[in-house]
Amino acid sequence: MTTFKLTLAYDGTDFVGWQRQASGTSIQGLLEDALRELDGRDVTVTGAGRTDAGVHALAQVAACSLERTIDAATVARALNARLPPEVRVLASAQAPEAFHPRFDARGKTYRYRIWNAAVISPFEHRYAWHLSDPLDVRAMAEAARLLEGRHDFAAFQATGSDVKTTVREIGSSCVTSVTPAPSGEASAGRLVMYEVTGDGFLRHMVRTIAGTLVEVGRGRRPAAWAGEVLESRDRGLAGQTAPAAGLFLASVRY
Amino acid sequence: MTTFKLTLAYDGTDFVGWQRQASGTSIQGLLEDALRELDGRDVTVTGAGRTDAGVHALAQVAACSLERTIDAATVARALNARLPPEVRVLASAQAPEAFHPRFDARGKTYRYRIWNAAVISPFEHRYAWHLSDPLDVRAMAEAARLLEGRHDFAAFQATGSDVKTTVREIGSSCVTSVTPAPSGEASAGRLVMYEVTGDGFLRHMVRTIAGTLVEVGRGRRPAAWAGEVLESRDRGLAGQTAPAAGLFLASVRY
């Protein structure tokens, strides 16, 4: 048996998420189906982050063990030949047998994209949350910074979650904005990006933080309110869960 | 009757092209259907460029005349409410009654995108031609410049076309490349872009030029060969018609 570490990118728009479900197409399911063909037996794939339906990945990390003698580059090529273009293996490497993408991860970075303009580009609607009212990016950035450090993030967890601890360490939590190069008079869009790095994330945590930051950006709440929500540990006080389309698992650190 | 100039962006992937066809969904058809609802009568929409199936637009220009008294901003909002997210009205303005998007256009700019890397990103496969063999961008740029000026472009026209003249004036014809910001260790892609501005274009002209430049980029032909193809006026000598997915109508100049 040889264990492989796979680095994957996917457009999550048309999938039920990373994890195999009773119905619908999952990224894990697509990989396991392709690997079964390749290895001639059932293969289990584990991932670093269980991205939800509609969430994308720039560099998700997964692992699988194969019986067949095969080199890492061939695994990547064979998978890409079998997978739909919405899922790509960007890199493949041999890994220690005990390698576990989630338990071994030291940290992850997520990115949340907001398209802030009157009209959303047809090339962005699958990959961003469209908000037409102007956002106060400076206030959002100030609010985002209040979440850095080791905290109990219960207020930003999906209701009904059941985890041992809701304490997580957030290394950086930043909001930036970019005005893309103009492609004609008519493009007056602005991309607002939230990027967060942490040792782990609760279910819906990044999307709930994004929804909370948008409350601040819209001027409905002051930046300091994000700190109050955090301290409250009460999901009822946080902003809405931002749409899945804007969320990207950007990288996993080992 | 009031005439409106509309600036449109669309993701052409799932459409049969700009022009209404006997079957399939066209951009023109979507606009005319939405305007019929808005104006309570049949409305004809004309466009600056008849983009083919799968070709995209960043700023296509179209015109329509409405009987209803309505301001330009409301036309844009009403259309965007009725159109699918793959088609967006970016701007709308009142125009002289005689305004014709195609005949009045002084020039157009097209962009052709090539993703040059072993693996194509799932976020690029709808918007670029994937070529994994390394391209000689400098040679492609040299070949592209040979097409600038007033020439007979018959060699780059789709076979079976029937136009009065195949002479066109190309103001600029440039190849550039960009290495996108790294999003993790695994992204080693390079975007090669061909941008061409001219007073008019023949059917499949930009895609046939792109296919010809790629022959040069792959090292199968020297840069000077592009000039020989041009002079031959023989479609049989040019490169392949590059895939529609990589082509964008970038802007129209009046």
Side-chain angles (χ1 to χ4, degrees), chain A residues 220-235:
Chain A
R220 293 182 188 160
R221 303 282 189 165
W225 172 72
E228 292 165 27
V229 172
L230 175 67
E231 278 168 40
S232 77
R233 301 181 205 171
D234 178 359
R235 174 63 188 88

Side-chain angles (χ1 to χ4, degrees), chain A residues 5 7 9-12 14 56-59 61 80 85-91 111 119-123 125-127 182-187 248 250-252, chain B residues 5 7 9-12 14 56-59 61 80 85-91 111 119-123 125-127 182-187 248 250-252:
Chain A
K5 175 192 177 194
T7 307
Y10 47 83
D11 176 339
D14 299 327
H56 317 289
L58 300 175
V61 174
N80 282 333
E86 288 78 15
V87 182
R88 291 290 92 181
V89 179
L90 302 179
R111 189 177 296 164
V119 179
I120 187 166
S121 155
F123 307 104
H125 81 99
R126 294 155 66 99
Y127 310 121
S183 59
E185 51 177 301
S187 85
F248 290 72
S251 61
V252 186
Chain B
K5 175 192 177 194
T7 306
Y10 47 83
D11 176 339
D14 299 328
H56 317 288
L58 300 175
V61 174
N80 282 333
E86 287 79 14
V87 183
R88 290 291 92 183
V89 179
L90 301 178
R111 189 176 296 163
V119 178
I120 187 165
S121 154
F123 307 104
H125 81 98
R126 295 155 66 100
Y127 311 121
S183 60
E185 50 178 301
S187 85
F248 289 73
S251 61
V252 187

